[in-house]
Amino acid sequence: MNQKGHEKKIEKPDDESESYGRSWRLTVEANNARPWRIVPDNCYNHLQNYMSGGQYQLDLNLVVQHILSYAHEIPLAADGMDAWILDVDDTCISNIDYYKGRRFGCDPFDSAIFKAWIMKGKCPANPAVLELFNALIKKGFKVFLLTGRDQATLAQITTNNLRNQGFIGYQRLILRSAQYKGQSAVRYKSAIRKEIEGEGYRIRGNVGDQWSDLQGECLGNRTFKLPNPMYFIS
Amino acid sequence: MNQKGHEKKIEKPDDESESYGRSWRLTVEANNARPWRIVPDNCYNHLQNYMSGGQYQLDLNLVVQHILSYAHEIPLAADGMDAWILDVDDTCISNIDYYKGRRFGCDPFDSAIFKAWIMKGKCPANPAVLELFNALIKKGFKVFLLTGRDQATLAQITTNNLRNQGFIGYQRLILRSAQYKGQSAVRYKSAIRKEIEGEGYRIRGNVGDQWSDLQGECLGNRTFKLPNPMYFIS
């Protein structure tokens, strides 16, 4: 009970942390805070509500609606060379269950725990992105899945995970091979997209949860940023 | 009263429109919806709360904090050629009062009413951006104000408005001259930035509320997107 007895105390600190969480999320999604390493501790409650309370999925749904509107208007050529790039982690499949255990990014990234999580091969599909994936393939796009995951150690588990989540019929899954180790995501992914274009493909769309998926060279005709307030990859 | 009598009815439609408004705002700020012409009608309540309830100013404040952190780390050369670009409308000064009368963008843009608003010369400063402006000048940046406003008809009123709102000491205010009429903002602003660089200036930072302020050529070392859910300029 506060000093005024019967009056309900206004939870000012909570309000402030909710407002700050909103501001913080907006500024990272518009890429104003780059590079950032960890979610500020006072964003935890906001992020927990955001990621687990439904708004994150609604936000994904709306971006996917915009992507589908755009994709359906593209006239595909008869040569079968209209391509699309999708990122994997927190685009096709979700690591929210790992990040729940890291307070949605307020605790530092732990590579051993993360690898153990990945090796289970149980990352669930992002339902909205699975719907997008299937629609793209149905329309006739050649879908390339491009991930920074290590090829030597994670190729098989990633292939299996994508299959058990329904990602079937893509053109190619590209993981980070030894020659790209230590490079930034922008550089590595640019090089791969350049190779894909070098094979004659026309990249019509490019979707990822990181700005580094959507910057650099050979970006494609249009890029789409999916929400991800939990971590930043440069 | 609902079927169960005493239980509080859950305001589902309002919840849905609030959730949708949040999703919509996130997707436009991350530039996934481009180009868009008008705010969806069911975002009105959300935008009214967002623009008038304080969150918009908090969001601006946080971006400006990030900009100031970045700006303060830049070592300025002795030649006085370190430059900064700021947009004018809804960056330095605010048109919220006009947009209040257009239901925050849910009503279509009206060029006659907008021009009448501008001609009053009473657009208030965005306080956070005025603070940024003064800090940049104090540090020694040459600040260029770059606007799509028409030079022939709006140069004097814009100069006066900026002065009456405290924007004093900038290097140059650049409005759209006849040769750039009808060009997209990206093309016009790229050409001007190229001219500025051609004079020997190094553009260290570039701040605007529109993605078209922050795309194209000669963008500067780093760009920052301020929130603006009310309109989109391509």
Side-chain angles (χ1 to χ4, degrees), chain B:
Chain B
M1 208 152 35
N2 68 1
Q3 290 178 318
K4 291 187 183 178
H6 64 282
E7 286 181 20
K8 192 181 180 302
K9 192 177 174 186
I10 294 165
E11 298 286 353
K12 196 73 180 164
D14 278 2
D15 290 351
E16 275 175 16
S17 107
E18 175 62 18
S19 293
Y20 182 78
R22 289 183 190 182
S23 290
W24 185 81
R25 200 157 50 73
L26 192 75
T27 211
V28 301
E29 295 297 356
N31 209 17
N32 290 317
R34 70 186 180 279
W36 54 275
R37 297 208 176 278
I38 195 164
V39 177
D41 210 63
N42 59 344
C43 293
Y44 173 61
N45 285 339
H46 174 74
L47 247 58
Q48 184 176 42
N49 289 336
Y50 174 67
M51 296 303 296
S52 303
Q55 188 67 44
Y56 166 71
Q57 271 73 21
L58 292 173
D59 290 357
L60 268 182
N61 289 348
L62 186 59
V63 185
V64 166
Q65 271 184 38
H66 282 290
I67 302 172
L68 286 170
S69 299
Y70 163 72
H72 284 313
E73 283 175 10
I74 300 173
L76 265 65
D79 63 4
M81 298 300 276
D82 291 293
W84 202 285
I85 311 278
L86 293 177
D87 171 53
V88 174
D89 282 295
D90 297 299
T91 298
C92 294
I93 52 179
S94 169
N95 294 308
I96 296 179
D97 283 349
Y98 162 81
Y99 279 95
K100 260 183 200 158
R102 309 304 297 166
R103 298 171 68 241
F104 298 99
C106 292
D107 287 340
F109 181 77
D110 185 305
S111 58
I113 304 177
F114 186 65
K115 189 156 185 195
W117 155 253
I118 293 291
M119 290 308 289
K120 286 183 189 170
K122 301 272 188 190
C123 302
N126 266 333
V129 181
L130 181 57
E131 185 193 330
L132 168 66
F133 172 88
N134 285 324
L136 291 171
I137 286 179
K138 192 175 172 193
K139 187 167 159 81
F141 288 104
K142 298 293 165 28
V143 177
F144 291 80
L145 305 183
L146 176 52
T147 173
R149 285 187 180 194
D150 179 54
Q151 184 169 35
T153 54
L154 300 174
Q156 195 57 59
I157 196 75
T158 305
T159 305
N160 295 349
N161 195 158
L162 287 163
R163 191 191 310 118
N164 71 38
Q165 291 302 310
F167 289 89
I168 290 159
Y170 54 80
Q171 188 71 3
R172 202 179 300 162
L173 166 66
I174 303 159
L175 298 98
R176 189 191 287 259
S177 61
Q179 70 178 115
Y180 297 111
K181 234 173 178 172
Q183 283 191 9
S184 72
V186 171
R187 214 170 145 196
Y188 155 62
K189 292 194 168 183
S190 290
I192 299 295
R193 289 190 303 261
K194 202 167 189 173
E195 282 178 28
I196 290 168
E197 286 192 356
E199 293 175 36
Y201 290 100
R202 297 174 296 275
I203 301 173
R204 298 306 199 174
N206 180 1
V207 179
D209 66 294
Q210 297 291 320
W211 280 103
S212 53
D213 296 327
L214 312 172
Q215 293 174 326
E217 293 179 84
C218 306
L219 291 172
N221 291 101
R222 193 162 158 182
T223 64
F224 295 91
K225 168 72 174 75
L226 304 185
N228 183 353
M230 302 181 296
Y231 61 90
F232 175 91
I233 293 173
S234 60

Side-chain angles (χ1 to χ4, degrees), chain A residues 93 118-125 130 156-168 170:
Chain A
I93 52 179
I118 293 291
M119 291 308 290
K120 287 183 190 171
K122 301 271 187 192
C123 301
L130 181 56
Q156 194 57 57
I157 197 75
T158 304
T159 306
N160 295 349
N161 195 157
L162 287 163
R163 192 191 310 117
N164 71 39
Q165 291 302 310
F167 289 88
I168 290 159
Y170 54 80

Side-chain angles (χ1 to χ4, degrees), chain A residues 34-180:
Chain A
R34 68 186 182 277
W36 55 274
R37 297 206 176 279
I38 194 165
V39 177
D41 211 62
N42 59 345
C43 293
Y44 173 61
N45 286 338
H46 174 75
L47 248 58
Q48 185 176 42
N49 289 336
Y50 175 67
M51 296 303 296
S52 304
Q55 188 68 43
Y56 166 71
Q57 270 74 21
L58 292 174
D59 290 357
L60 269 182
N61 288 348
L62 186 59
V63 185
V64 166
Q65 271 183 38
H66 282 291
I67 302 172
L68 286 171
S69 299
Y70 164 71
H72 284 313
E73 282 175 11
I74 300 173
L76 265 66
D79 63 4
M81 298 300 274
D82 291 293
W84 202 285
I85 311 277
L86 293 178
D87 172 52
V88 174
D89 282 296
D90 297 299
T91 297
C92 293
I93 52 179
S94 169
N95 294 308
I96 295 179
D97 283 349
Y98 161 81
Y99 279 95
K100 260 182 200 160
R102 309 305 296 167
R103 298 172 67 241
F104 298 98
C106 291
D107 287 341
F109 181 77
D110 185 305
S111 58
I113 304 176
F114 187 65
K115 189 156 187 196
W117 155 253
I118 293 291
M119 291 308 290
K120 287 183 190 171
K122 301 271 187 192
C123 301
N126 266 333
V129 181
L130 181 56
E131 184 193 331
L132 168 66
F133 172 88
N134 285 323
L136 291 171
I137 286 179
K138 192 175 172 193
K139 187 168 159 81
F141 288 103
K142 297 293 165 28
V143 177
F144 292 81
L145 304 184
L146 175 52
T147 173
R149 286 188 179 193
D150 179 54
Q151 183 169 36
T153 55
L154 299 175
Q156 194 57 57
I157 197 75
T158 304
T159 306
N160 295 349
N161 195 157
L162 287 163
R163 192 191 310 117
N164 71 39
Q165 291 302 310
F167 289 88
I168 290 159
Y170 54 80
Q171 187 72 1
R172 202 178 299 162
L173 166 66
I174 304 160
L175 297 99
R176 190 191 287 260
S177 61
Q179 72 178 112
Y180 297 111

